[in-house]
Amino acid sequence: MDESVLAQFKQKYESLAGVVHLVSGVEEAAEVVASVLDGAEARRVALGEFPETLREVLRQRCAALGLEMVQPPYRSADLPAAIDAAQVGVSPAEFAIAETGTLVEFATDDALRLVSTLPRVHVGVVRAVDLVATLRDAAGRVRTFYQQNPKHATVTFISGPSRTGDIEMRLTLGVHGPESAHAVVIR
Amino acid sequence: MVEERYKRLYEKIAQALRETPKRAALYRAMKRGRDSRQRAIGALPGGEAFRDEVRAIKLRCQDAQDSLVERFAAKARQRGASVFLAEDGAAAIRYVLAVAEACGAKSVAKSKSLTSEEIEINHPLESAGMDVIETDLGELIIQKAHEKPFHLVFPAVHKTVAEVAEIFRRETGEEIPADVDAIMKAVRRYLRPIFLNADIGMTGANVGIAENGAIVVETNEGNARLVSSIPDVHICIMGREKVVATVEDALQMMMAHPLSAVGQSLTTYVTLMAGRSPLGEGDGPRQSHLIILDNGRTRMRKDPLFQDALHCIRCGACMNICPTYGVVGGHTFGYIYPGPIGIPWTAEVHGLEKAGDFAPLCISCGLCKEICPAEIDIPMMIAAVKDRDAETHPQPRVNRVMMAAEPFAKFACATAPLSNWMLRNRAVRWMMEKTLGIDRRRTLPPFSRPALVQRMARRGLSTVRNPRRRVAFFADLFANYNAPDLGMAAVQALEALGCEVVMPRQLGCGYQYIAYGNLKAARRVAEENVRCLAPCVNEGYDVVAMEPTATYCLRLSYPKLLDQRKEAAAVSGKTFELFEYLGMLEQSVEVPPSLRGRRVGFHISCHQRPLGGGRHAMEYLRRRGAEVEVIETGTCCGMGGTFGLKTGLLGYDLAQAVGEPLFDAFRQSAVEVIVTESSVCTIQLKEGTGLPVRHPLELLQNNL
């Protein structure tokens, strides 16, 4: 793990009004998520498709907090309302780009995209080993994803919270998507 | 008689000039855009080199366009999308209406798409009974205000917070204070149910990737994510020029677009979408329709003068730097596509007539080409639009007068000092304003007899023995007819460094023909000058030009005008700026610090930007001990060659409005004298700032 790449990611992501949390493992990651949920006074949380260990830890945490959870498998009939009702969305990022302060999300179900778009707060979770230095470094992973998914597939580059400067060029966050964005980086 | 279209244009300019707060807001926005871009590029490892990469990709993909579009369409179909190749806007609209009817759609939520605006799709959808809602905040404001976008990237940049609050108060019935955050919250509440319930989501695409059939959609707000994920039907309308070959190509575009627009590294959300994903488990079939629009693009690709316009990535940078756009804005300087690149695009997709309505606003400073991420020669395309337009709308008299600058200067020089007396006479100037259209407030530089060409001829052969270099001197009109002493000083400076200097037969550079759009005349001048200079170059002479615009012509415009002909390329390759050349020769020479203690403000003439941005002259002055500071706003001084000499709104008045911020910057600086190499910028800056303005050589001579 290249510390300078990590430092660059943190610097860039935070310059985009995001918050970076460096944690040592899944337990600590769940800790951070819990504190964000608490800060957002969340009653309902939307979870993305996590690898098993992290999924279990997060579920337990959210259950302990007494939160309603929307999680895979999502029932089409409940959507998009079920995710729209969540105050916080928590989802994994496939990898992250230091140069641009970007979390990259892979999805073959549009419900996953809503987890990182509809709630006011989004938490993206990424492993530090999945940090790449430059935008160019993303090409290989994106290509592979499309090769592995010959039908529908979506890749989203997310760099901080939803923003606009459309009124008098004044920067404002959260016009449609999240007004606050967190990146939890697990070493 | 003033033509109807000019009357309309004058009215719009007059109104824009009156609206001072709007103008100030626009100026701030444009300046912020170009300053942020400049800063971001400064921090980029390769700096401006990203433009070469964008251009290389665009050239490669344009060459292979037909096969790339075919491949892209095939891949997208394999992934489950329906692809429709639309010949024109009408075909695209018919297709969309059929899709809407088939799914019984009542509402369409759109994210920003210029291509959908190009074909004006909202109206037919509304006529078919659908609600059409723009979800990009800027576009929504414009839609609710029933206006057209003011700027490509910032469509509502001219609206104040108070005006926007009022628009949404009317729309929602809520009590919304004139506060950006409050408006934002109200907009979020207003749009959320629209996102959740729309039947059709419509987007454009910034890029299409042939390799995998994915479209790329960039937004900062995230609205495109919502309209492309929630509704059962997603329709994307994209121009066929947007298709690139590989993921790597797409990444380069994703980077270049926001960088060039506002100095951002990526837009907040960049989505690559292929096929149509379900929304949760048990979801029924969902549709994705890709409409690949031609609408004149194939014809454009076959037109050598316009094909480069297809490289446009819609970043809006040319608008941010355009001096007159920065004063009048996109409602005056544009049809649907605004700004400099809007002129060739309008000509090709909406017709020459509409492009000709605002093309006269271009003052041919050339800055749009210097900022364009794809290095599109926009100024030459605009010249071609003006040229073609002149076939049906004859040039106004004042433009014909300006294009006759050379015979006028020659005559005035031959009749000096009488001509000078006349040019100072108020009655004569009043007459000149009324009949020729030259503004009487302008102080025209006096003419001096004999002209430089005659002085050089009388002087006979160069007296330098065993010359280090041989120079063919290119004077242009000002040094030849108005300032032969200055021209002679340049010759002597070259000789002092061991050059043999000759002044071959030559015309003025003829840039005015490009500026007003008479390409036949421009080619004739180019041909003649190349014919005179090429033999010198063949014999080993270097061409040294004094006037930035002349250097620009010899180096960049002539090869283009003469289809990259061998002789033109040879002259171009051997043409130097005066101070570039002197600097090369001076490298090992000790120079006395004759300008020590002098504090000068340097003005970079626009045509100098691609020639080194005044670097050579500044280094020349600094080597002599002067303290040189560049004073700039990042755009033109407003003069635009002879544009600022013309009287009225399409001349002096607009030139002053453009120049004001630069005049202020000079006045607020502590410089004692302004230095510039351009003879026309000199007039504008002298009058605008009241400060003395000198050519670098004058500064040395008089040491004023």
Side-chain angles (χ1 to χ4, degrees), chain B residues 398-444:
Chain B
V398 64
N399 290 5
R400 282 181 276 134
V401 168
M402 291 305 167
M403 284 192 273
E406 179 144 13
F408 174 80
K410 199 170 178 177
F411 176 77
C413 175
T415 53
L418 177 67
S419 55
N420 292 329
W421 175 83
M422 292 188 48
L423 290 177
R424 281 195 308 269
N425 182 287
R426 291 170 81 173
V428 173
R429 289 301 298 272
W430 185 86
M431 278 296 290
M432 278 173 71
E433 184 173 297
K434 295 293 163 222
T435 56
L436 305 178
I438 298 173
D439 199 287
R440 66 186 131 151
R441 286 165 291 186
R442 285 290 182 199
T443 322
L444 300 176

Side-chain angles (χ1 to χ4, degrees), chain B residues 364-379:
Chain B
S364 300
C365 65
L367 292 176
C368 47
K369 180 180 172 212
E370 304 315 317
I371 201 170
C372 174
E375 301 167 355
I376 303 171
D377 194 347
I378 306 171

Side-chain angles (χ1 to χ4, degrees), chain B residues 339-372:
Chain B
I341 192 66
I343 298 174
W345 265 92
T346 301
E348 290 294 314
V349 304
H350 296 119
L352 192 56
E353 188 66 27
K354 292 213 161 61
D357 284 345
F358 65 102
L361 284 163
C362 164
I363 63 173
S364 300
C365 65
L367 292 176
C368 47
K369 180 180 172 212
E370 304 315 317
I371 201 170
C372 174

Side-chain angles (χ1 to χ4, degrees), chain A residues 12 16 73-77 79-81 84 97 99-100 102 105 107-114 116-120 135-136 138-140 142-143 146-147 149-179, chain B residues 29 32 53 78-79 135-138 141 153-157 159-161 164 180-181 183-184 187-188 191-192 195-196 211-212 214 220-223 225-226 228-230 246-248 251-252 254-255 264-283 286:
Chain A
K12 184 69 189 186
L16 299 168
Y74 311 100
R75 277 172 17 116
S76 174
L79 297 177
D84 183 51
I97 306 164
E99 178 186 40
T100 52
T102 304
E105 172 193 283
T108 51
D109 183 335
D110 278 348
L112 292 169
R113 295 167 65 199
L114 296 186
S116 56
T117 321
L118 284 174
R120 283 191 175 278
L135 182 61
R136 269 167 220 258
V142 170
R143 174 167 293 123
Y146 278 104
Q147 281 163 354
N149 293 279
K151 289 289 179 185
H152 55 87
T154 305
V155 174
T156 310
F157 294 71
I158 306 173
S159 313
S162 159
R163 62 166 63 206
T164 181
D166 275 347
I167 302 178
E168 293 191 0
M169 292 188 99
R170 296 197 215 171
L171 175 66
T172 320
L173 304 177
V175 58
H176 311 299
E179 61 190 17
Chain B
R32 204 166 121 176
E53 288 169 44
Q78 276 169 24
R79 289 181 177 277
T135 62
D136 170 82
L137 177 60
I141 295 170
V153 180
F154 315 109
V157 70
K159 293 276 180 221
T160 61
V161 176
V164 176
V180 180
D181 273 317
I183 296 172
M184 220 56 85
V187 169
R188 190 176 168 113
L191 281 178
R192 191 48 74 95
F195 284 126
L196 298 179
E211 174 189 328
N212 56 21
N220 279 321
E221 298 180 0
N223 52 323
R225 297 194 78 192
L226 293 170
S228 66
S229 56
I230 302 172
T246 64
V247 170
E248 284 81 357
L251 292 176
Q252 178 72 16
M254 282 157 51
M255 184 276 289
Q264 205 182 339
S265 47
L266 280 181
T267 57
T268 305
Y269 301 101
V270 184
T271 308
L272 281 65
M273 264 178 287
R276 192 77 212 277
S277 297
L279 187 64
E281 306 222 340
D283 194 17
R286 282 153 49 95

